[in-house]
């Protein structure tokens, strides 16, 4: 069974405000399922793009059918987040994917792509 979701949302804020908000999204009181957030690497590419990789540890808090509980014994899910921020072109793209529990589910999220057309 494959479940896919595609959605679009335009943030009603300028580019700088949205990107600034991305960097401080964890920890926060509304995301108690996020156990930790660590920067694995951060570098500036040759084209002046800030490339960041973060490791997120999230607590498994989703509900599942009773029959599946015996197969799902992990407590935490490990997630890698890669982001690319180009201040000159005003573009920001972030990709998030799990690298634990892949035998059960694979999650790949393009969090958002912002460009200078935002307010």
């Amino acid at each position: 069974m494959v479940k896919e979701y595609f959605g679009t949302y335009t943030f009603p804020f300028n580019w700088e405000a949205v990107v600034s908000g991305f960097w401080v999204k964890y920890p926060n009181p509304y995301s108690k399922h996020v156990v930790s957030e660590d920067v694995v690497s951060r570098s500036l590419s040759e084209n002046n793009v800030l490339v960041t990789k973060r490791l997120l540890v999230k607590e498994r808090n989703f509900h599942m059918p009773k029959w599946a509980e015996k197969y799902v014994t992990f407590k935490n899910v490990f997630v890698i987040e890669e982001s690319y921020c180009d201040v000159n072109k005003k573009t920001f793209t972030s990709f998030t994917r799990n690298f634990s529990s892949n035998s059960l589910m694979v999650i790949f999220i393009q969090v958002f792509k912002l460009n200078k057309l935002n307010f």
Side-chain angles (χ1 to χ4, degrees), residues 4 14 35 38 71 79 96 101-102 105:
E4 291 186 27
N14 64 28
V35 177
D38 297 295
Y71 300 107
V79 175
T96 306
S101 319
N102 288 338
M105 65 183 153

Side-chain angles (χ1 to χ4, degrees), residues 7-21:
T8 301
Y9 179 79
T10 301
F11 294 97
F13 306 103
N14 64 28
W15 185 86
E16 290 83 1
V18 175
V19 173
S20 295

Side-chain angles (χ1 to χ4, degrees), residues 26-114:
Y26 301 124
N28 77 61
Y30 302 105
S31 296
K32 293 181 181 177
H33 67 289
V34 178
V35 177
S36 69
E37 174 260 334
D38 297 295
V39 175
V40 176
S41 68
R42 182 170 283 151
S43 61
L44 200 56
S45 72
E46 292 177 9
N47 339 357
N48 288 328
V49 174
L50 180 64
V51 180
T52 303
K53 289 186 182 180
R54 299 195 297 181
L55 172 65
L56 305 172
V57 179
K58 297 184 176 186
E59 189 175 42
R60 179 184 65 92
N61 63 352
F62 54 86
H63 300 287
M64 65 181 75
K66 277 281 193 209
W67 63 266
E69 288 179 0
K70 66 180 176 181
Y71 300 107
V72 181
T73 58
F74 57 89
K75 182 179 177 186
N76 294 326
V77 176
F78 297 90
V79 175
I80 194 81
E81 175 186 88
E82 298 176 54
S83 58
Y84 305 88
C85 182
D86 188 333
V87 175
N88 296 326
K89 293 181 182 176
K90 288 199 174 184
T91 60
F92 183 90
T93 305
S94 176
F95 300 97
T96 306
R97 67 181 187 284
N98 65 309
F99 66 92
S100 65
S101 319
N102 288 338
S103 61
L104 178 65
M105 65 183 153
V106 176
I107 299 172
F108 180 79
I109 303 169
Q110 181 175 351
V111 176
F112 46 74
K113 183 174 183 177
L114 300 170

